[in-house]
Amino acid sequence: MNDALTELAMGGRRPLARLLTRIENGDPSVRPLLPELFTAGHGAHVVGITGPPGSGKSTLVNSLITEWRRRGKRVGILAVDPSSPYTRGAILGDRIRMMEHAADRDVFMRSMASRGELGGIAATTWIAAAALDAAGYDPVLIETVGAGQSEVEVARVAETTVVVEAPEMGDEVQAIKAGLLEVADIIAVNKGDRPGADRAARQLRAMLSTAGGRVERKPPPVMVTTAVTADGVAALADAIEAHRSVAREPLEAKERAANQVRRALAELAGRRAADDPSWDETLRAVADRELDPLTAAECLLG
Ligand SMILES: Nc1nc2c(ncn2[C@@H]2O[C@H](COP(=O)(O)OP(=O)(O)OP(=O)(O)O)[C@@H](O)[C@H]2O)c(=O)[nH]1
Ligand SMILES: [Mg+2]
């Protein structure tokens, strides 16, 4: 095994931090590590936390970390900012909100901006998530601000995506516009201590049972949380854990693998290769974690 990966597997925080920096910078030396990095993972549950600005994602992540630490889990967190490198203020705020876990060696938090030459923010994110997995963190949480296409793509990297709304913002409309409800496996109406939270949850449930949600799928559960008091957070952690097995059903896993591989293909040579006869078999191998998506794309092109 490659030295960097051996160090990762031994659980060192420094080697992990250094590797994440190389991933974030799009360092070409990361490329040869990908096959082993992807397959060396332990199969961590990758959980996306997204939603409109200020809905309480970071506070909720902080409460979820506390809950998962109570359950004996080692938690990795990526706070991804796809939009610009100029929002260090928000990222600093995230660090402060998660500070109570700073001394905990079983919690690893990292903020990342996108400079990735390995294939955009979504590629950078799955590589970083694979690194946290290989280092033994499970679950791996990915927080993004949901406002545009790249955020939705990051949400698609996750096996389970939690969309965090807040009652006072008229977020239902905003979320639909951003296509966020389409990627939601679980919806958390946060700030449950504010008036209107229960009503917003009821409206969302009614909307999802009629028109919204993914076609031919059960509508996602809508849960009310209060991140600042941890009310509803244990139930949310339960729902996330319960979704893990749903996300790993062959069709779901294959769909996620397809998203990853299609993006990689687009990076290399566009969509032509999708007609290749080995397409289905390649996707199956990726879904079964025998092959990383970029190598799969190269095989399809070759
Ligand atoms: N009343 C109330 N306030 C909350 C709750 N959760 C978060 N907040 C507050 O909402 C504000 C935004 O919280 P954040 O956790 O930073 O929200 P965010 O979604 O991570 O924000 P961005 O990362 O900037 O998009 C902070 O002032 C929090 O203290 C809650 O359950 N109830
Ligand atoms: Mg935040």
Side-chain angles (χ1 to χ4, degrees), residues 8 12-23 108 110:
L8 265 198
R13 294 174 72 89
R14 284 268 197 79
L16 177 58
R18 278 198 300 265
L19 179 59
L20 288 171
T21 299
R22 283 156 66 196
I23 293 168
F108 191 100
R110 177 65 179 244

Side-chain angles (χ1 to χ4, degrees), residues 44-278:
H45 189 192
V46 181
V47 179
I49 310 280
T50 189
S55 57
K57 297 177 293 298
S58 300
T59 314
L60 196 55
V61 165
N62 191 55
S63 295
L64 282 167
I65 296 169
T66 305
E67 181 59 31
W68 272 315
R69 291 297 299 128
R70 203 176 284 143
R71 299 181 187 191
K73 292 180 182 283
R74 305 180 75 217
V75 190
I77 306 101
L78 294 169
V80 181
D81 185 349
S83 44
S84 90
Y86 302 112
T87 49
R88 291 289 170 191
I91 282 174
L92 184 64
D94 285 343
R95 280 197 190 286
I96 290 164
R97 267 183 278 285
M98 294 173 200
M99 199 60 97
E100 66 171 285
H101 299 290
D104 186 342
R105 293 192 57 79
D106 291 319
V107 175
F108 191 100
M109 198 232 151
R110 177 65 179 244
S111 305
M112 300 217 321
S114 172
R115 288 190 290 274
E117 276 115 57
L118 293 164
I121 188 66
T124 307
T125 303
W126 75 250
I127 298 167
L132 285 165
D133 181 6
Y137 293 94
D138 183 5
V140 173
L141 306 182
I142 303 169
E143 180 192 335
T144 45
V145 177
Q149 184 55 38
S150 53
E151 293 80 0
V152 170
E153 283 192 13
V154 170
R156 288 207 176 103
V157 171
E159 299 177 281
T160 299
T161 300
V162 181
V163 173
V164 183
E165 304 279 357
E168 76 277 18
M169 298 156 74
D171 280 336
E172 296 91 31
V173 177
Q174 201 180 336
I176 293 163
K177 272 191 196 149
L180 268 186
L181 292 185
E182 273 170 48
V183 295
D185 299 301
I186 298 165
I187 295 170
V189 176
N190 190 45
K191 308 197 183 181
D193 53 324
R194 297 255 174 99
D198 289 319
R199 190 169 50 90
R202 277 197 305 277
Q203 284 175 350
L204 272 169
R205 279 186 206 112
M207 198 180 70
L208 289 164
S209 68
T210 52
R214 295 171 176 177
V215 183
E216 290 171 22
R217 277 179 212 207
K218 239 172 56 176
V222 178
M223 316 188 65
V224 177
T225 59
T226 305
V228 286
T229 61
D231 252 358
V233 171
L236 177 61
D238 288 342
I240 291 170
E241 286 181 18
H243 186 267
R244 179 182 184 135
S245 55
V246 177
R248 293 186 179 186
E249 283 167 8
L251 279 178
E252 290 280 326
K254 186 176 171 184
E255 185 186 318
R256 208 167 34 250
N259 279 326
Q260 291 182 294
V261 176
R262 280 207 190 91
R263 258 193 312 270
L265 272 170
E267 291 295 322
L268 292 173
R271 293 183 186 165
R272 263 183 323 171
D275 290 327
D276 192 288
S278 64

